[in-house]
Amino acid sequence: MADMVHTAHSPALVHQFETKEQQHDAGSLGMWVFLATEIMFFGGVFMSYIVYRALHLEAFIQGSHFLDVTFGATNTAVLICSSLTMALAINAAQTGKSKSTIITFLGLTMLLGAAFLFIKFAFEWTHDWTEGLVPGLHFTYSGPHASGVELFFCFYFFMTGLHALHMVIGLGILATLTVMAYRGRFNSDYYAPLEMSGLYWHFVDIVWIFLFPLLYLIGGRYGGGH
Amino acid sequence: MSTAVADVHEVPVESRVNYLNASYGIKSWLFTTDHKRIALLYLASITFMFFVGGTAAVLMRIHLIEPQGALVQPETYNKLFSIHGIVMVFFFLVPSIPATLGNFLVPMMIGARDLAFPKLNLLSWYIYITGAIFTLYAVISGGVDTGWTFYTPFSSLYSQTHVIATALGVFITGFSSILTGLNFVVTIHKMRAPGMTWFRLPLFIWAMYATSVIFILGTPVVAIAMFLVGLERLLHVGIFDPAVGGDPLLFQHLFWFYSHPAVYIMILPAMGVISELVTCFAKKRIFGYSIVAFSSMAIAVISFLVWGHHMFVTGQSVYAGLIFSVLSFLVAIPSAIKVFNWTSTLYKGSISYEAPMLYALGFIGLFTMGGLTGLFLASLATDVHLSGTYFIVAHFHYIMVGGAVMGYLGGIHFWWPKITGRLYPDAWARFAALVVFVGFNLTFFPQFMLGYLGMPRRYAVYPEEFQVLNVMSSAGASILGVGYLIPLIYLIWSMRYGPAAGPNPWGARGLEWETPSPPPTENFEEIPIVTEEAYNYTGARQTLG
Amino acid sequence: MSEHIVPVKNYVAVFLSLLFLTGLTTKVAFIDLGQTAIGKTHVIDWNTVAALVIAVLKMLLVVLFFMHVKYSPGLTRLVIAAGFFWLAIMIALTLSDELARGWTGTPQPWSLLLPIFHPYL
């Protein structure tokens, strides 16, 4: 059979692409298109939140005041740090730094991501549980605007939960990247998986950048929340 | 046996290595990453789901022979129309052309060896199967009675059926569409052969691209809608419960934001097929290539602006209704443009009436009728009268069945020789096409009249005076069912006994016709270099070699 | 690879700006920026505006620099723009319903001239 005549490819080029550049461009576009779907996915929940916030502003302000701004702000800072370390991990590969540098930055990113989840689950969510603010499972608030507050917390848990799920998946991806880096797969010529995963990680950071003010800072805190 | 590249017409199909015989065994199919095999996996699955949904329809039509219902209890009838809608929309129509013909043809038409992400392609099929299993589980264990539209608060609070399993099935299958759309967009952008500029692409590719845009941007939102309904049922929290401040219409916004563009997911690929069929069987270039291409994109964009026309009578603000009504009139324009373009293509063409062409001609007429009746529904005042009646049912079946399914069948017949390397018996195919056409019109035209006269949809019983039209409709449905069974038989027969097809039995233009039938796994020996415009027909009916 | 390499100090500058903006939005939340009425029934809450403006600025910093969109081809920007545009459509048209529900008053005869022409129709 007429053999496929290939120019010498490095093992990283898969059969459906003709050049590494095409492969890289396709991967990059694919990740961006995926992020566009994520914009609409989170967007659906954000839209629902916006609608209910418009319809039940007082209740949502009330609900928001149950959230701890310090934890929220800290978590925002934690994620911003993790975005920096992620960008530095890619930069390390791009500039041909040693694999231990790449692994260090990936490790820091994972650590910060885990810290975010720890603060969220061990401090915020357990506190919400003990305060009886978990709709459907343990909701005991009966003050003013009780049903609106319950609606607020439905969305609080749904939105932060969906975000946390994406974080957990991100941690899994980072762990995989760490293993790949350990095996010496990345260098200044090939770091596409780091780049694509970086895009995902930054996107999850951006979602939180909007979640924080929308959930924690509604209606301002000048009314008396802490 | 010589394995050098020989005159492919003299080599019997079986002895040449192609994607079908390149490897054997169930694992070579279940773990394939070849887009052509994945297309066949989808073909088998959606055909199965089509007959599941079709069975529900048959039972419904039998039941409706009698005004008091001839077959089932009203509760069961509710489940029948729900299952019919859910299975047909999410598990047949949405994936039909994109996942079968799209998967098979997109790389071939642009001169690529495969899609950009072959493993994601396989994953999308497994995701589809997983979603189908959840939904079939719901069907077997008692069904769901919310309608395919899952309106709240019935679905979230009151229904006693398997809503969560079904919603989960729909949620999961949505990701299959998203991955397919993602794959197509990246492939079309990045993997066109040298010389295949955007405006040399077959219009089928433009249609697939436009459909993929809708897949990508619309499907995530219905996923959220399903998720919230499931959440409300599971945790008994009033997300859509008016008593605690929820808004049932919010669900409808989330649902229809996807589901209206979804109907364009169903029709755009069929329109793409029609462009291919009409040019081939009139042996003429498409009239107004760029306009048709831009119309596909315009339909994709405008389709996202009109969803509120499904909510004119459910409590939506009149002001929003006004906006959506105007936008709904706008969306008709690009579709109408395409009909004019196809008709102009036919004018002074060298027309032949093979089965694919019969389906294409049927499409043009029936889609036009369905589309025009949509204008009655886009108009606020008439919609008040027609909403919730059989007029709506007839309207969307004219488009979905008279349009999309006929486009699908036309495409399957047209590319069948390429996919299988075999010819089917065209006499039987033409006969079946006519049976489908007659059966279809007898089924659904009376429904326009029923709706206009006031018969509500989704009702298990109806007033006596509607019986004649109902019986006509049911008679038509039985004819239509026969019309669908006939192709199943002869197409499967042809896979074993049909004569060898050769690379281009229709004398069509396009890169896919320049490969052997069936194609080799890698599609092309060498990536072609494109120098011609699309549809470079000269008017004379000639087969290539 | 002809990839633009962003200097580390740029990343650090973006990082510090992000932290600053986070602190800013938190602080501003505790200050009442007031509200301005528009029309009869709606107000602009300046705290909300401030929070959203800052969030958008932070997002732009992440998108342009951390995600390299400043150095990316036009197709990438088109995809991002499409995503946000579609989100905007969804929110705007849904709100056009949700916020306008109560606007319709009691039904009136649709034309004052109708009683004049009616006998002739």
Side-chain angles (χ1 to χ4, degrees), chain B residues 229-276:
Chain B
V229 165
L231 206 63
E232 182 163 354
R233 272 185 88 79
L234 204 57
L235 298 178
H236 306 289
V237 288
I239 300 176
F240 299 116
D241 183 359
V244 292
D247 182 12
L249 255 67
L250 178 64
F251 170 81
Q252 291 182 28
H253 281 293
L254 288 168
F255 179 80
W256 286 114
F257 181 82
Y258 163 75
S259 298
H260 184 82
V263 314
Y264 292 95
I265 287 176
M266 302 181 227
I267 200 64
L268 271 171
M271 290 174 159
V273 170
I274 299 308
S275 294
E276 302 299 315

Side-chain angles (χ1 to χ4, degrees), chain B residues 131-348:
Chain B
I133 288 174
F134 273 97
T135 305
L136 288 173
Y137 159 76
V139 169
I140 294 170
S141 51
V144 67
D145 65 355
T146 58
W148 82 278
T149 47
F150 291 99
Y151 273 16
T152 55
F154 180 68
S155 64
S156 51
L157 281 178
Y158 301 107
S159 172
Q160 299 298 313
T161 58
H162 298 265
V163 177
I164 294 183
T166 319
L168 197 55
V170 171
F171 176 83
I172 292 170
T173 302
F175 289 103
S176 164
S177 313
I178 291 175
L179 289 179
T180 301
L182 191 154
N183 232 332
F184 284 174
V185 166
V186 176
T187 305
I188 296 171
H189 269 284
K190 295 292 177 187
M191 294 173 72
R192 286 167 286 127
M196 179 60 89
T197 59
W198 280 92
F199 288 95
R200 286 182 179 163
L201 287 168
L203 288 168
F204 181 76
I205 299 290
W206 278 97
M208 284 297 115
Y209 186 84
T211 307
S212 300
V213 169
I214 306 179
F215 274 140
I216 287 164
L217 295 170
T219 318
V221 180
V222 79
I224 294 291
M226 293 294 123
F227 205 105
L228 288 173
V229 165
L231 206 63
E232 182 163 354
R233 272 185 88 79
L234 204 57
L235 298 178
H236 306 289
V237 288
I239 300 176
F240 299 116
D241 183 359
V244 292
D247 182 12
L249 255 67
L250 178 64
F251 170 81
Q252 291 182 28
H253 281 293
L254 288 168
F255 179 80
W256 286 114
F257 181 82
Y258 163 75
S259 298
H260 184 82
V263 314
Y264 292 95
I265 287 176
M266 302 181 227
I267 200 64
L268 271 171
M271 290 174 159
V273 170
I274 299 308
S275 294
E276 302 299 315
L277 298 183
V278 154
T279 47
C280 176
F281 292 101
K283 285 294 173 291
K284 200 159 159 270
R285 310 189 105 109
I286 191 84
F287 180 88
Y289 174 96
S290 332
I291 301 276
V292 178
F294 285 131
S295 293
S296 299
M297 298 307 299
I299 290 174
V301 173
I302 306 177
S303 73
F304 277 96
L305 303 176
V306 302
W307 79 85
H309 65 227
H310 298 271
M311 298 160 61
F312 284 155
V313 296
T314 58
Q316 183 176 250
S317 144
V318 167
Y319 293 92
L322 283 170
I323 299 172
F324 282 118
S325 175
V326 169
L327 291 167
S328 302
F329 278 98
L330 274 184
V331 80
I333 296 175
S335 304
I337 288 175
K338 288 190 175 205
V339 173
F340 287 127
N341 277 298
W342 293 320
T343 316
S344 310
T345 307
L346 290 171
Y347 178 65
K348 291 199 178 170

